Each structure stands twice: as structure tokens, then as C-alpha cells.
Amino acid sequence: MAGYSNFSGRTSMPVTTHLIIINVLSLLLSKILEARGVVNLNTWLGLHYYDSPLCHFWQYVSYMFMHADFTHLFSNMFTLYMFGRLLEQVWGSGRFTVYYLVTGIGAAITQQVAWRFGVVSSELTQLQNLDSSLSYAELLAQAPHYFDPLVTIGASGAVFGILLAFGVLFPNMQVFLLFPPLPLKVKWLVIGYGAFELLAGISAAGDGVAHFAHLGGMLFGLLLILWWRKEAKANF
């Protein structure tokens, strides 16, 4: 991984590289602590449903540095490495870092909305069918840990934001797919991913994937890029 030179002439490590290292170390630490029975870091750092007693403010950032296993980690870090490096070179490390965090947090917010009006709404409807006199707040008061199992981890939301940005900045650049082995313009790759995530999220297939978080990363990424472009025009 190439380094960038700062004003002093010394080479600094790209933010993309730092992010990959932090994610790898987080998974290793998580597995070590879990194997020793010390603590499950996903309980403290994974994003929980906002009305769960296990939800804390730092999880809106920390969740994106946690992963379930090495396959989950590799898929996210490979995409970050492939597309994030060039974006960081174009934007600079500061703007790239802001973008990564905004899209990751945006993905978390979107996932909370999807939970509230998806699985939580469905579960509450079933509970209220048993006792229609109970309100949402009363149901939670009776079973405060009912939604504790709702938790999401992974950098996918921010990574999908990176993919969206790459498609916006370099729409006609071609990438070579592995499956099927064909060249494809980045804009079609982004559109295809977005359509798939939307359909998968609506279908509620129960595959354990936070599809709406992925879409949230793309949405917040697009909004941030449009805002930056508006600011650039205003200052021109």
C-alpha cells in the first residue's frame, strides 16, 4: 500500500490502510476475548436497537469496526482497499475520513429506522393482538430486553458509501467482475448493487444481512457528495 507525502516530506500511511488495520485488530481481539470467555465485544460495540437497554451512543461508530468472522471482514476490507485508496487520493485523507464516518453513521440510522418500522412493528402488532390496550411504551416497559437480539455489525454501510462515491466520481471506469468474468462500468455496478439491496430489504428474506443499512450508506454518501458540490459552487 503506497503512502502519501505530507508537507514535511515524510511519508504518511493512508487512512484506508489505518481503517483496514483497525478492523483486522478488532476482529482478532474480539475472537481472543470471546474464546477466553472474557467478554463478547459485539454486545458492547455492535449496534443495538435504540430502545434496547444495550444500546449506547458510541455504537453508532464502533459497530462499523466489528465483524462476525474473517469472511465478513475480508469482503468489506477488500472492497475498501480496491475503491477507497483512489477516493482518498482524490479527496485527501481528511475529507475521505469524514465521508467514511458519515456514511457509516448514516447506515446505522437507516438500520434503526428499518428495525422500527420492520421487525419491531411486526412484533409489536403480534403482541398488541394479545392485549390491544398496551401501548408501545408499555410493551417495552414489560419486556425491556425483548429487542436485545437486534444487533448489527460490520463496515458494509460505509463500504457501500465508498462504492457509491466511486460510481459518482468515476462512472465510466471499467472493473472486471469475477462472477461472471466480464468487464462492467462502475455506474452499472453501483446501480445493480443498489437495486439488489433494495429488493432484498423489501423481501425481508431473513438472511441476517442489513440490506437497508447498505442502502443508508449509499444514500447518506450521495447526499454528502451533493452538499459538497453545492458548497464548491457557492464558493467559486
Side-chain angles (χ1 to χ4, degrees):
M1 300 181 186
Y4 302 148
S5 295
N6 56 30
F7 65 91
S8 65
R10 294 179 297 179
T11 299
S12 60
M13 186 181 296
V15 170
T16 305
T17 305
H18 279 105
L19 291 172
I20 293 173
I21 292 173
I22 293 172
N23 276 277
V24 171
L25 292 178
S26 295
L27 180 61
L28 291 174
L29 179 62
S30 176
K31 293 301 181 183
I32 292 172
L33 293 178
E34 186 176 354
R36 294 185 175 182
V38 178
V39 66
N40 184 345
L41 285 182
N42 290 338
T43 301
W44 296 100
L45 302 180
L47 178 69
H48 289 266
Y49 180 58
Y50 68 87
D51 260 334
S52 167
L54 295 178
C55 183
H56 302 284
F57 67 90
W58 62 77
Q59 294 172 356
Y60 285 83
V61 175
S62 62
Y63 89 98
M64 68 180 81
F65 296 99
M66 306 302 298
H67 288 84
D69 50 41
F70 286 99
T71 301
H72 186 202
L73 174 72
F74 177 79
S75 63
N76 280 334
M77 295 302 100
F78 179 76
T79 305
L80 174 60
Y81 175 75
M82 291 299 296
F83 298 103
R85 293 175 303 154
L86 184 54
L87 286 178
E88 185 177 355
Q89 291 177 16
V90 172
W91 279 340
S93 296
R95 176 162 288 197
F96 176 80
T97 303
V98 169
Y99 183 86
Y100 188 87
L101 293 175
V102 167
T103 52
I105 295 172
I109 294 172
T110 306
Q111 183 59 37
Q112 293 285 14
V113 174
W115 274 335
R116 177 61 183 87
F117 296 100
V119 61
V120 172
S121 179
S122 176
E123 292 291 336
L124 289 176
T125 299
Q126 294 182 32
L127 291 174
Q128 287 177 325
N129 287 337
L130 300 176
D131 188 350
S132 59
S133 64
L134 294 177
S135 66
Y136 173 72
E138 290 170 333
L139 287 170
L140 285 178
Q142 288 190 9
H145 295 280
Y146 191 80
F147 297 111
D148 286 357
L150 292 178
V151 59
T152 190
I153 55 176
S156 301
V159 167
F160 268 80
I162 294 294
L163 185 62
L164 181 281
F166 202 89
V168 172
L169 269 63
F170 311 103
N172 295 315
M173 180 179 290
Q174 286 194 336
V175 293
F176 196 84
L177 303 179
L178 295 178
F179 303 103
L182 296 172
L184 184 69
K185 289 185 178 180
V186 174
K187 62 182 178 183
W188 300 122
L189 179 66
V190 172
I191 292 173
Y193 264 120
F196 171 80
E197 293 299 323
L198 179 60
L199 292 174
I202 293 175
S203 67
D207 55 6
V209 179
H211 297 290
F212 284 108
H214 299 169
L215 290 170
M218 299 178 82
L219 174 61
F220 275 75
L222 179 60
L223 292 176
L224 183 56
I225 290 172
L226 292 176
W227 183 68
W228 279 342
R229 287 184 173 181
K230 181 179 179 181
E231 288 292 302
K233 289 181 179 180
N235 294 328
F236 183 72

